Amino acid sequence: MAFARKFVTALLAATSLLCLTPAAPAADPAGPSLQAMKRDYARPTAVPFPADNPYTVEKVRLGQQLFFDPRLSGDNTRSCATCHNPALSWGDGLAKGIGTGGTLGRRSPTILNLAWAELLMWDGRKDSLEAQALGPIESGMEMNLALKDVVPKLEKVDGYRTAFALAFPGEGLTLANVAKAIATYERTVVSGTAPFDRWVAGEEGAISDGAKRGFRLFNTKGNCAACHSGWNLTDHSFHDIGLPDKDIGRAEHLPLPSMRHAFKTPTLRDVARRAPYMHDGSLPDLWAVVEHYDKGGTARPSLSPEMRPLRLTPQEKADLVAFMLTLTGEADPVTLPALPVPAQPAGF
Amino acid sequence: MPLRPALLAAALLLAAGPALAETHVVDQANKKFSATELAVKAGDTVRFVNKDSITHNVYSQSPGNAFDVKTQKPGESSDVVLKSAGEVEVRCAIHPTMKLKVTVKD
């Protein structure tokens, strides 16, 4: 119960962060157009949960344990959190992820704000968190635990049997419920309120003048908001942004000419905490990212028409970076769960 | 003009052989289709018009009616003839939140 109360409190706190009511805006020297742009970035008031997997405290608690449990890997060394580490903005800080089978083909994406995602994975091959959750577990390159072995392995842990019975009354421990619990926990992973949010809500001094200029550029000359739009700074779209690697991305699963080298637009929430950048981890910092977009990317048939040389001045590049630095939120520290272990006899 | 009246008003009658085939106009604006559902007859045309300031790519993988209009720049339009009866799931490849279900009847 203590945990439940604590979690609900945490959830309410997180929700309250989402409920910032925009105050009356202060006089804006840039005029009403900037105010209109800001309206597109107001945070939502609640986290969406699907009707067929609604939120419960028991499910979130179980999902958190599963997310942090290395026993969901074949050799008990890797959990979901190994690559999606909350201390590293739910990524791993590496250019390419590392799994049981060695170095992976792409950078580990953050799991922040996936409750709002349309498709999952850099290439969009999963259409829900429930569908995605088991993929890395069974991947021979990542966690390498055959799905047929998941339930028998967890059944040996008394605490899990109890936790599944509480979270899924009448159903208990099933593979589908492993996915549902992890997905429910992941939906609670929401970026904290950032200085940018306080500015959107009317606190004029929350960000610098340079960051405000950067926000305007982000929505105009920089064309960033063509894809990184809305409060989550992504519209979940797929584009070839002209990175010179051979990965065909989305086209592997949706074989259309425009989808060659196309990858999902990631959120920019807390982006300053997730270097290196891009699906291939090829750009070391936000300055390099701005330089990439300024040049317009590698010319090829699939290059997104939204990509074009921007001809940004040094000051404009600095302003764009200043803006992105204001997106780092103030989320509460993540408490690691105690994992259930097999019961041991009290004595002889 | 509101999108729905525009959609209805834009349905054009075309003489095409013994049956009358219609053209149904679906706009793309604000990263949304102007309708989420549409009923047409087999042989009808759906005209997809990009009214956004960004590029779209309408497609379907539904059996019997699969198509790819490829990238559409702002202002461009593309006609698709739906030949087979059934449900057609239409998407924008670039923007997966854009969804349209077309019911094609004989």
Side-chain angles (χ1 to χ4, degrees), chain A residues 115-194:
Chain A
W116 289 267
E118 182 68 23
L119 298 177
L120 285 305
M121 318 293 282
W122 281 112
D123 56 22
R125 66 182 183 271
K126 300 291 186 182
D127 63 2
S128 72
L129 283 170
E130 286 78 4
Q132 188 277 333
L134 301 178
I137 295 173
E138 68 170 333
S139 166
M141 284 294 289
E142 298 180 49
M143 296 164 75
N144 195 33
L145 178 62
L147 294 185
K148 68 177 177 55
D149 295 333
V150 171
V151 169
K153 194 171 182 179
L154 295 179
E155 274 180 336
K156 294 175 183 168
V157 182
D158 307 78
Y160 271 134
R161 288 200 303 274
T162 305
F164 273 93
L166 287 170
F168 299 98
E171 299 179 22
L173 206 177
T174 67
L175 197 57
N177 287 343
V178 171
K180 281 186 170 183
I182 294 173
T184 302
Y185 172 65
E186 288 178 319
R187 289 191 176 94
T188 68
V189 178
V190 178
S191 54
T193 302

Side-chain angles (χ1 to χ4, degrees), chain A residues 118 226 229 235-239 254 257-259 305-306, chain B residues 31 54-55 57 59 61 68 71 93-97 99:
Chain A
E118 182 68 23
S229 56
D235 63 0
H236 316 290
S237 57
F238 291 84
H239 301 270
L254 182 58
S258 69
M259 293 292 100
E306 316 309 333
Chain B
K31 300 177 186 175
I54 54 173
T55 300
N57 184 164
Y59 78 100
Q61 294 183 311
D68 174 21
T71 51
I94 299 169
H95 305 99
T97 54
K99 301 174 184 177

Side-chain angles (χ1 to χ4, degrees), chain A residues 273-343:
Chain A
R273 293 183 43 75
R274 285 194 301 277
Y277 297 108
M278 322 313 258
H279 70 271
D280 58 0
S282 61
L283 302 181
D285 53 37
L286 291 173
W287 282 92
V289 172
V290 172
E291 289 290 349
H292 170 77
Y293 283 110
D294 187 49
K295 290 185 176 68
T298 301
R300 56 191 173 201
S302 57
L303 181 67
S304 169
E306 316 309 333
M307 295 291 293
R308 54 180 180 264
L310 299 172
R311 298 182 178 83
L312 298 169
T313 67
Q315 182 63 57
E316 288 172 333
K317 292 174 186 175
D319 289 343
L320 277 170
V321 172
F323 164 64
M324 287 188 278
L325 295 179
T326 71
L327 301 174
T328 302
E330 296 154 3
D332 292 333
V334 175
T335 304
L336 297 181
L339 300 181
V341 294

Side-chain angles (χ1 to χ4, degrees), chain A residues 179-250:
Chain A
K180 281 186 170 183
I182 294 173
T184 302
Y185 172 65
E186 288 178 319
R187 289 191 176 94
T188 68
V189 178
V190 178
S191 54
T193 302
F196 171 67
D197 297 306
R198 298 205 305 274
W199 179 60
V200 168
E203 186 183 326
E204 201 55 33
I207 68 174
S208 68
D209 288 344
K212 293 173 191 174
R213 291 193 301 269
F215 174 68
R216 178 180 289 281
L217 285 163
F218 190 88
N219 285 277
T220 53
K221 181 179 177 180
N223 202 32
C224 316
C227 310
H228 291 284
S229 56
W231 82 276
N232 200 10
L233 296 118
T234 177
D235 63 0
H236 316 290
S237 57
F238 291 84
H239 301 270
D240 172 8
I241 58 165
L243 290 163
D245 72 343
K246 294 179 180 174
D247 191 339
I248 64 168
R250 180 79 175 126

